[in-house]
Amino acid sequence: MPELGSSSTTSWFSGSPASRAALVLALVLILLATSGWTAIRNHRPEPGPRAAALTAWAHGRVDGRELPDPGASAEAVAEFFLSLDRAQRRRLADRYPLVVGNLGGVPLTLRYRANREALRQARAAEEERTHDRRLTDLGRLQAVRRVHRFTSMLGHGRQILAFDPTGGGRAAEVFGDLASARRVSVVVPGVDTDLLSFERTRRKYTAPAGMAQALYAAEREAAPRARTAVIAWADYTTPAGIGVDAAAGRLAEEGAVRLGSLVDSLPGGSRVSLFCHSYGSVVCGVAAPSLPSRVTDIAVSGSPGMRAGSAADLGGRARIWATRDADDWIEDVPNLELGALGHGPDPVSPSFGARLLSAAGARGHAGYFEPGTASLRNFAKVGVGALGSVSCSGGGDGCRTGANGSTAV
C-alpha cells in the first residue's frame, strides 16, 4: 500500500465518495482478517539499549544516593538534580545517557549533553553492524543509513532533547532557546516517523526536523523580538504506513501520554502551541482533554480526525485550529468509526467547530510547513500569539472571531 504523502496515493483514492468509502471499509476488513486485532492487542515493546540503561539506572547510585524513579514527576527529578553538584550531574549523564537524556526535569543543557553521548554510542554500535557479515545486505545498508543519521544529529549546535535508538527509534530536537522561551511550539508528526525519517535532505520540510526549523524561522520573521522555541517532537511510536495501527487509536493513546509528559516537563511558564500533522492530530486530540492550561492552541493539518465529535468535545481551554489544502488526499479518506477503528469527524468540516486557517500555496499531504505557504505563515502567527493577523480559509475573518491575544510576546 502507498505511504502517506506518496504521489500514488491520490490515484489510489480516485472514484466517487461512495466507492472510496466502500474501498476503505473493504481494506479495513482485509487488514483485520490478515493482521487483525492481533496487531493491535498483542503489541509488545521491543527490548533495546534503553531498556538495559533503565535496568542499570534502577541499581545505580551517585555517591551512595539512590537515583530517582524514571516515572517520577518532572518536579521531583528537577529537585534531585538541583541537589547535585556539576561533577555529579555530568557523571550521571555520561554513565546513563539514555536515561538522563530522556528524563523530564533534567536541566536542558545536561539532557543535550547526555543525548550527544547516547548518539555517539549508538553510532559506534551501528558502525560495527556495517561490517557484520551475519546481517543481510539490507541490514548492513540500514546500519549505514543510521550511521549517517546519527552523524548528522551530532552536528554542531544541534539540541537533541530526546533520543532512543530502540527499533525504528524516537527523537526530539529543539530550535531556539527553550530555557528562556515565553512561547513554545511543538510539531507532532504522523505515520512513518522514525530516526531515519526524522530529517531529510530532499523534501526537507516534510520531515519533523525540517518542519520545526521552518516554523522557527517563520516565527522569528513574524515576531523578531518574541522569545520563542520550537520542538520537533518525534518521541512517540508512530504507525508504519497505512494499516490497522494508522486506523486505530492505540499508538495515539500511548503518544498522548508521552506528549502530556513533555508539556509538563517544559521549563518556566511558557505558553505552548501544538502543531499536529496527519496521525499526529489524532495524538493531539487524545491528549487535549488532559493538557494543562499553558497549552493555548492546537492546530491540525491533513487530519484524519481527532477522536472527538467536535472541537468543544476536546475539552480544555486551547483554541482548535484546522487546515487542509485543496489537493491533500486525506480529504478522500472517509471519516469512519468502526469499533476501535477510525478517528471521527473531519476537523475542517464546519460542524466540527475548529477555526479554519488558509493553506494557500501548500501542496499535497505533506506540504503544510513549506516556506512561502499560507499554512506555515499562519502556524507561525498562532505560535507567537499574533492571532489577529492569521488568514482564514475562504477569506474573511471568521477564524479570528473571538480569538484573544492578538499581540505577539
Side-chain angles (χ1 to χ4, degrees):
M1 296 181 71
E3 294 182 356
L4 295 187
S6 67
S7 59
S8 60
T9 311
T10 303
S11 60
W12 182 67
F13 280 112
S14 62
S16 68
S19 64
R20 289 194 296 265
L23 176 60
V24 170
L25 182 58
L27 287 170
V28 167
L29 293 175
I30 291 170
L31 286 166
L32 288 174
T34 55
S35 59
W37 297 112
T38 302
I40 297 176
R41 292 179 176 174
N42 293 344
H43 175 79
R44 294 290 183 272
E46 184 177 352
R50 187 157 189 267
L54 286 168
T55 299
W57 175 270
H59 296 91
R61 297 288 189 275
V62 57
D63 294 336
R65 297 176 57 187
E66 291 186 359
L67 305 181
D69 187 327
S73 68
E75 291 80 5
V77 172
E79 183 177 353
F80 173 81
F81 274 87
L82 280 172
S83 72
L84 304 178
D85 61 32
R86 183 179 182 184
Q88 290 171 323
R89 294 177 189 177
R90 289 194 167 190
R91 196 185 316 155
L92 288 178
D94 294 343
R95 186 178 298 171
Y96 308 103
L98 282 174
V99 178
V100 175
N102 293 281
L103 201 53
V106 171
L108 289 172
T109 54
L110 195 66
R111 287 186 70 170
Y112 300 155
R113 176 189 175 94
N115 284 320
R116 289 189 67 82
E117 177 59 27
L119 277 160
R120 282 191 286 264
Q121 293 181 11
R123 181 175 62 180
E126 293 298 334
E127 286 173 339
E128 287 189 14
R129 284 168 50 81
T130 64
H131 305 292
D132 189 343
R133 293 301 170 184
R134 294 171 298 178
L135 297 179
T136 64
D137 290 343
L138 181 60
R140 288 194 296 276
L141 176 61
Q142 193 83 341
V144 169
R145 294 182 65 198
R146 284 168 71 94
V147 168
H148 291 163
R149 173 62 63 246
F150 299 160
T151 299
S152 175
M153 293 174 73
L154 282 165
H156 177 71
R158 297 192 68 167
Q159 302 175 128
I160 305 302
L161 184 67
F163 172 73
D164 182 358
T166 304
R170 299 193 295 252
E173 182 173 8
V174 173
F175 296 86
D177 186 350
L178 184 58
S180 66
R182 295 182 62 186
R183 288 187 176 271
V184 176
S185 298
V186 182
V187 175
V188 183
V191 304
D192 287 331
T193 300
D194 57 20
L195 288 172
L196 290 180
S197 59
F198 181 69
E199 62 185 34
R200 293 190 177 102
T201 302
R202 297 178 57 191
R203 301 178 68 230
K204 174 179 178 178
Y205 302 109
T206 66
M211 291 177 178
Q213 187 176 24
L215 180 57
Y216 180 62
E219 289 185 355
R220 293 294 300 275
E221 182 177 351
R225 297 183 180 179
R227 289 156 54 183
T228 66
V230 179
I231 301 173
W233 189 77
D235 195 24
Y236 80 103
T237 301
T238 69
I242 305 173
V244 173
D245 276 335
R250 176 182 59 83
L251 293 180
E253 291 166 1
E254 295 173 1
V257 173
R258 298 182 66 84
L259 180 59
S261 296
L262 169 76
V263 172
D264 288 339
S265 69
L266 292 176
S270 56
R271 300 179 185 180
V272 179
S273 299
L274 306 180
F275 297 91
C276 320
H277 176 248
S278 194
Y279 190 84
S281 67
V282 186
V283 176
C284 292
V286 174
S290 58
L291 292 173
S293 59
R294 71 187 302 186
V295 178
T296 59
D297 296 273
I298 300 174
V300 302
S301 55
S303 174
M306 299 182 73
R307 297 208 145 229
S310 68
D313 290 342
L314 291 170
R317 299 179 181 179
R319 290 171 287 259
I320 307 300
W321 309 81
T323 191
R324 186 174 65 216
D325 68 68
D327 60 353
D328 186 339
W329 59 261
I330 203 76
E331 179 181 9
D332 294 328
V333 177
N335 295 97
L336 301 174
E337 288 188 85
L338 178 64
L341 300 177
H343 304 306
D346 186 349
V348 301
S349 64
S351 60
F352 189 79
R355 300 170 183 272
L356 302 184
L357 294 168
S358 171
R363 297 180 59 187
H365 183 64
Y368 296 97
F369 291 82
E370 190 75 30
T373 60
S375 50
L376 180 61
R377 289 193 296 271
N378 281 326
F379 294 162
K381 290 173 182 178
V382 170
V384 300
L387 306 183
S389 60
V390 298
S391 58
C392 304
S393 177
D397 62 357
C399 69
R400 297 193 294 269
T401 303
N404 297 320
S406 59
T407 302
V409 297

